[in-house]
Amino acid sequence: MATDRDKRAEILDRVRALGGLTPGVARQVARDTGVAEAEVFGAASFYHLLAEPDVRVRVCTGLSCELAGAGDVLARARAAGWPVGTCACLAACDRAPAVLHGRDTLAGIRPDDVDRAAGDWRALASSAVPERDWRGDVGPAGAPADRLACDLLGEPDWSGSAFARAAQLGPDAVIAEIDRAGLQGRGGAGFPAAVKWKSVRSQPDGDRFVVLNADEGEPGTFKDRELLLRRPDKVLEGLAIAAAAVGARDVYLYVRGEFGAPWRSLERAIARFAASGALADTRFHLHAGHGAYICGEETALLEALEGKRGMPRLKPPFPTEVGLWGRPTLIHNVETIACVPAIVQRGGDWFRALGKTGPGTKLYCISGHVRRPGTYELPLGVTVDELAAAAGGYVGELRAFSPGGASSGFLPARLRDTPLDFRALADAGSMLGSAGVVVLNDTADVVAAVANQLRFFEAESCGQCAPCRIGTRFLRQALDRFRAGAGRGAALAQVADVAWQMNEGSICGLGQAAPLPLVSALRHFPEEFADG
Amino acid sequence: MADRNADRASGGGASLTASLTIDGERVPFAPGETILQVARRAGAWIPTLCYDPRLEPAGACRTCLVEIDGWRRLAPACATPAAADMVVTTRSDRIARHHKTLLSLYMTDHVADRDACETGAPCELHALADRVGAATDWPRMEPVRAGRPDDRNAFIEFRPDRCILCARCTRYCAEVEAVSAITLAGRGSHTTITTADAASLVDTTCEMCGGCIDTCPTGAMTEKIPLREHAPPDRLLDKVRTTCNYCGVGCQLDLNVDRAAHGGRGRVVKVTSPPPGTPPNDGNLCVKGRFAYQFIEHPDRLTRPLVRDAGGSLRETSWEDALARAAAGLRGVADRHGADALGFVSSSRCTMEENYLMQKLARAVFGTNNVHQCAAT
């Protein structure tokens, strides 16, 4: 029998099944679930894939897609009279420009593809690359598997041998290996994984959960997509090991709504493990997101799983103590959890030694002005030049790079020797974040790139707290005024105060980081903002 | 909710078992209290906008942020539990800059002119912005929040340009009234307060209690004109505390009187709730208590005894005459047809004592059990 909790958790999926938030849908879902009609409406209206049911095709407005001509694709689709809109980064920066078609991301869509579809937006899917080809370039080619934790090019391993080894070791020994490995959260914060595992494990008895954060949405980041497409075995096995270690049986996988192909990959992998029983009685629950970048923030993700508006919670308390449905919850990014099987198999010391300036390898995404955009598993702490070399080298001369998604701001070429790790980038006033590196060469317009990212944060702010809700908008308007010729002194006079307020006052990391693109550009590229 | 009420009831001193430091002073507190509750009891000034003691703290308006030793980030006083030996700072350069920049930002997205903003209700945001010296020369946002101008309900109006999205109204509607007629909807700067499918409130579960108006700090939720017919700003109105006479609960309410109206005779121009914490209704009212006060000035209202003349028209008379005529009429019916030919109907708007006397009149004086009152069913 479905509990009230379960019914509440279902409301967003029910709105989706009814075709999105058209008039009367909230009322029907309210009738079917007992959740108040306004609550259904308020929750669904938060998610753009539900709130805009008439939009069938969305063109990615991410920086890499913009650099690759997404504007032309959008213009032609509009001219063709398609039910088209825009969306934030689709995690296809290596195959830009990308278009969302229903819930499937189509990579590498060119203006010609729009023309070829001859006015029928449905025909775009058939002219686009097939699902399998959403896999991008990964590497480094030829690296020995025993130097890689994620090993994107390796054959999937369905044996469950790491899970069996973990069962042999027992929870405490597994957690000790994770600790020894020095594994840090790969979602952006770099928090030590073992601290979370210990905390969840030490909570008083009762339900507890493991949650996978597969809401990859940080602009410039697409590594989790590759993992889900190529190595779902590692992801599920890591989750099963984590669940056993912290004493959970139920694992919730929150997969972003735009990830049609990765979702299907996970579905197949779950079925395969269920059939073999290799992961014992771990129960996997797949849960689709419905379009909201903020749900990559762990507490917003928990709210979304519970069928609510994806507004981050106040911390403390942290999810390890009060998480999903108020229970202790271990929540990890896809890449973090995918490192776990190799750590269990080869040991924490092995993992730690893989890194250069920090423990382990790291999946670096690189896009923009490089020859072979893609995902490269390299020692933690490589420089942007080393990463670019793995990606076939720069196109043109390096001018600026964004080391870890939009939230990390822009760094100038003279900081090219900074190790791409958690500490060094924080010291440089930036962050490793999701390690989604976007390269801008000497032909790029830095101010336009900043404007792109400010628009992104304004569109994706959840709106809960004033510093972020008003601040993201304020900064975007200020830069618009500057670009319209208002001059730095006048247009950007309040930027320092607003950025300070957003960083101090915002509830979550989105608002705290949202000023960074502009603030970092003002700091590192002052000539771009000279009065004139 | 029980816990929260326990928190609110505490502070009397009985269970103050631990202490923390606020601005250098040692302050005792009871388990479960928040920093805000303790600090306010100690006389510290911590501004709030989204806080209402009747609601679960949201920590969303960010005005109440304080410094806590050992915490890197500022913490919302309203939602942070007091802990033993915590060291809290409410006054510092950092907090002052926080107040000033936050309120400056709020004001870019709010009606700039205070008098224009305060038609109908005082605005806590303006008052706070003035107090912390918020900038008034920052560029302004173009308005984006959608309202529901066509909502045909008679009582409640939402003015989106005044809204600061503190969500007191939606939380009140859900947590106190358990009605959930209104909700936060949309996302980011487009977030607004609305109903499912933006329907009129009359087509929702709304009970028109007006609690959203009461809890709103900025007058974004307000009484509809013509309910709010008064000309003078809210701050010039006299509040007269009285007991609601619509039922026997005894809710306290404040008649807002424009003394100058009617050539100095005065006029009730709206009803507001006393502050939360005022017994018995804790600042809550129902649709009748809050909105049905226009009978006071209604031309049909009986304010003097009237009797019918030979032609059947009503004419004014004395109480003695009116009572004598009524008594004679009642007696006449009882004499001719028996006491059970009479029926007595009283009102829930009468006091309990008046209702008691009515049934006494029926049963003891006339000898019939035909007595009823509208609250008896």
Side-chain angles (χ1 to χ4, degrees):
Chain A
M1 218 184 79
T3 62
D4 288 351
R5 186 188 90 178
D6 295 337
K7 285 185 178 166
R8 172 84 209 209
E10 281 172 11
I11 61 172
L12 300 172
D13 290 340
R14 285 174 179 265
V15 171
R16 177 187 178 183
L18 292 167
L21 202 56
T22 50
V25 163
R27 180 154 294 187
Q28 183 174 337
V29 171
R31 212 166 29 226
D32 295 343
T33 59
V35 176
E37 185 182 355
E39 296 269 323
V40 175
F41 183 84
S45 69
F46 186 87
Y47 300 93
H48 54 250
L49 295 179
L50 301 177
E52 301 164 354
D54 297 335
V55 179
R56 306 302 176 88
V57 181
R58 293 169 188 276
V59 178
C60 178
T61 56
L63 182 53
S64 295
C65 284
E66 190 174 283
L67 292 173
D72 281 349
V73 175
L74 179 63
R76 295 215 197 172
R78 283 210 169 113
W82 288 7
V84 68
T86 59
C87 62
C89 182
L90 288 168
C93 323
D94 54 338
R95 308 289 306 279
V99 165
L100 186 71
H101 188 277
R103 294 258 175 155
D104 282 309
T105 297
L106 310 177
I109 296 294
R110 301 280 158 190
D112 298 355
D113 295 319
V114 179
D115 294 343
R116 222 176 357 258
D120 179 8
W121 61 270
R122 291 177 199 84
L124 191 63
S126 54
S127 75
V129 286
E131 179 175 308
R132 200 176 164 74
D133 279 354
W134 194 18
R135 298 179 181 193
D137 279 322
V138 298
D146 66 358
R147 304 292 300 155
L148 301 172
C150 293
D151 193 13
L152 289 169
L153 284 164
E155 275 302 304
D157 173 3
W158 304 102
S159 69
S161 57
F163 180 73
R165 166 115 180 101
Q168 239 172 33
L169 290 170
D172 291 327
V174 168
I175 293 176
E177 286 303 325
I178 300 296
D179 203 358
R180 201 168 296 134
L183 178 63
Q184 292 166 278
R186 263 56 175 149
F191 191 79
V195 174
K196 288 193 192 178
W197 291 40
K198 285 179 203 164
S199 174
V200 175
R201 180 164 170 75
S202 69
Q203 298 300 314
D205 282 345
D207 284 347
R208 62 201 54 209
F209 304 110
V210 172
V211 172
L212 178 72
N213 183 347
D215 195 45
E216 180 166 60
E218 183 67 36
T221 312
F222 41 87
K223 63 191 178 61
D224 295 344
R225 178 201 86 204
E226 291 292 357
L227 271 168
L228 298 173
L229 289 172
R230 292 169 182 270
R231 298 307 304 265
D233 57 314
K234 284 205 181 257
V235 177
L236 295 182
E237 192 166 15
L239 288 166
I241 293 168
V246 302
R249 276 190 70 194
D250 288 293
V251 176
Y252 290 82
L253 298 90
Y254 186 94
V255 184
R256 75 176 287 191
E258 296 86 343
F259 268 9
W263 170 281
R264 289 186 289 274
S265 171
L266 277 171
E267 252 180 353
R268 287 189 296 268
I270 289 170
R272 188 156 181 167
F273 276 125
S276 72
L279 301 182
D281 56 358
T282 316
R283 290 188 293 241
F284 295 106
H285 308 272
L286 267 174
H287 191 105
H290 298 287
Y293 161 78
I294 187 58
C295 292
E297 197 281 339
E298 59 181 5
T299 59
L301 186 154
L302 297 177
E303 292 286 295
L305 272 179
E306 293 180 9
K308 297 174 183 160
R309 297 166 57 77
M311 303 194 300
R313 299 175 182 172
L314 303 176
K315 293 191 278 194
F318 291 91
T320 49
E321 293 172 5
V322 183
L324 187 60
W325 296 301
R327 302 300 310 165
T329 300
L330 179 70
I331 177 164
H332 272 311
N333 170 261
V334 172
E335 183 189 350
T336 317
I337 211 77
C339 291
V340 168
I343 291 170
V344 168
Q345 290 281 36
R346 301 177 191 271
D349 292 333
W350 167 82
F351 181 83
R352 183 179 280 273
L354 293 177
K356 209 171 156 190
T357 60
T361 54
K362 180 78 194 73
L363 292 182
Y364 289 98
C365 315
I366 185 164
S367 61
H369 293 130
V370 291
R371 287 194 199 288
R372 210 168 50 240
T375 307
Y376 300 92
E377 182 170 2
L378 297 171
L380 187 57
V382 295
T383 63
V384 68
D385 287 343
E386 290 169 304
L387 174 58
Y394 297 111
V395 173
E397 191 65 36
L398 175 69
R399 168 124 202 264
F401 62 104
S402 177
S407 305
S408 67
F410 293 97
L411 294 177
R414 65 181 164 76
L415 292 180
R416 66 201 306 160
D417 294 331
T418 310
L420 299 177
D421 68 17
F422 292 105
R423 177 173 300 237
L425 286 169
D427 290 346
S430 178
M431 60 169 140
L432 178 60
S434 53
V437 179
V438 179
V439 170
L440 301 181
N441 68 13
D442 48 359
T443 68
D445 180 344
V446 170
V447 178
V450 172
N452 174 289
Q453 301 202 334
L454 294 185
R455 278 197 301 274
F456 164 75
F457 283 121
E458 181 190 4
E460 296 299 330
S461 166
C462 83
Q464 178 181 206
C465 72
C468 177
R469 180 184 68 244
I470 308 175
T472 51
R473 197 142 184 272
F474 189 97
L475 293 184
R476 194 270 301 158
Q477 288 189 7
L479 191 61
D480 282 353
R481 279 194 302 276
F482 169 77
R483 296 179 80 197
R488 180 183 188 178
L492 305 176
Q494 293 85 22
V495 167
D497 272 340
V498 172
W500 184 90
Q501 169 55 228
M502 292 170 73
N503 186 42
E504 286 279 18
S506 296
I507 291 175
C508 82
L510 190 158
Q512 291 157 18
L516 255 183
L518 180 54
V519 169
S520 62
L522 283 166
R523 178 173 163 200
H524 296 302
F525 304 93
E527 69 280 4
E528 297 282 345
F529 297 92
D531 271 327
Chain B
M1 189 165 291
D3 286 342
R4 200 172 68 243
N5 287 332
D7 292 351
R8 290 173 59 192
S10 72
S15 54
L16 305 179
T17 51
S19 68
L20 51 65
T21 303
I22 296 176
D23 297 328
E25 282 190 38
R26 217 55 202 171
V27 184
F29 68 91
E33 282 192 297
T34 62
I35 291 176
L36 182 69
Q37 290 168 320
V38 182
R40 285 195 169 165
R41 196 170 62 243
W45 183 70
I46 299 180
T48 55
L49 290 167
C50 72
Y51 177 73
D52 180 323
R54 294 168 293 187
L55 308 176
E56 294 293 340
C61 75
R62 311 309 281 167
T63 43
C64 76
L65 300 188
V66 295
E67 292 184 73
I68 300 174
D69 276 17
W71 293 35
R72 192 171 57 86
R73 303 206 60 84
L74 300 173
C78 71
T80 307
D85 302 323
M86 207 176 231
V87 178
V88 177
T89 303
T90 71
R91 294 190 302 261
S92 68
D93 289 348
R94 187 180 177 195
I95 298 292
R97 186 178 184 196
H98 166 64
H99 287 160
K100 192 167 174 161
T101 52
L102 177 65
L103 269 295
S104 302
L105 207 46
Y106 265 119
M107 291 307 296
T108 65
D109 194 31
H110 194 73
V111 177
D113 178 60
R114 184 165 183 179
D115 284 339
C117 182
E118 292 195 322
T119 53
C123 177
E124 292 178 29
L125 188 71
H126 269 285
L128 189 54
D130 286 355
R131 175 159 178 172
V132 303
T136 52
D137 60 344
W138 285 17
R140 303 194 52 73
M141 302 286 168
E142 66 262 25
V144 281
R145 280 183 293 281
R148 283 173 292 111
D150 300 328
D151 187 338
R152 66 188 193 282
N153 92 80
F155 302 118
I156 300 170
E157 182 183 0
F158 173 55
R159 301 189 291 186
D161 55 346
R162 282 141 174 92
C163 180
I164 58 168
L165 278 319
C166 69
R168 271 162 71 165
C169 56
T170 56
R171 289 182 288 133
Y172 180 92
C173 195
E175 296 176 28
V176 176
E177 294 294 320
V179 161
S180 293
I182 50 174
T183 178
L184 287 173
R187 194 173 71 204
S189 49
H190 292 274
T191 310
T192 190
I193 309 291
T194 189
T195 58
D197 295 337
S200 165
L201 282 174
V202 297
D203 294 324
T204 69
T205 50
C206 177
E207 294 170 359
M208 303 291 165
C209 73
C212 49
I213 295 172
D214 168 59
T215 193
C216 180
T218 59
M221 286 285 178
T222 187
E223 295 87 354
K224 270 196 173 173
I225 300 170
L227 286 172
R228 140 169 83 66
E229 285 166 329
H230 62 285
D234 195 83
R235 57 183 174 272
L236 298 183
L237 299 174
D238 282 344
K239 285 188 195 299
V240 180
R241 180 70 46 86
T242 188
T243 303
C244 179
N245 61 4
Y246 272 109
C247 82
V249 170
C251 288
Q252 297 299 291
L253 50 77
D254 287 339
L255 302 176
N256 287 232
V257 181
D258 174 6
R259 291 276 182 205
H262 291 328
R265 193 159 61 80
R267 178 187 166 98
V268 176
V269 293
K270 69 173 174 178
V271 170
T272 53
S273 320
T278 310
N281 48 314
D282 201 17
N284 308 312
L285 290 173
C286 75
V287 58
K288 290 191 283 186
R290 190 181 305 276
F291 295 119
Y293 57 86
Q294 285 166 314
F295 69 87
I296 298 169
E297 302 284 347
H298 200 281
D300 288 352
R301 184 178 172 199
L302 295 179
T303 53
R304 292 182 187 77
L306 302 173
V307 295
R308 291 192 192 281
D309 59 21
S313 302
L314 289 169
R315 63 170 173 78
E316 196 175 325
T317 186
S318 67
W319 278 111
E320 291 72 19
D321 178 46
L323 287 170
R325 292 272 294 270
L330 289 167
R331 261 201 207 103
V333 172
D335 289 348
R336 283 196 300 281
H337 305 291
D340 282 342
L342 291 171
F344 295 80
V345 180
S346 177
S347 167
S348 61
R349 295 194 58 189
C350 299
T351 63
M352 186 172 69
E353 292 78 3
E354 288 163 340
N355 280 307
Y356 175 82
L357 289 172
M358 183 65 121
Q359 64 85 31
K360 212 67 182 165
L361 180 70
R363 294 193 170 109
V365 177
F366 287 99
T368 178
N369 288 324
N370 293 343
V371 61
H372 195 66
Q373 193 251 34
C374 57
T377 50

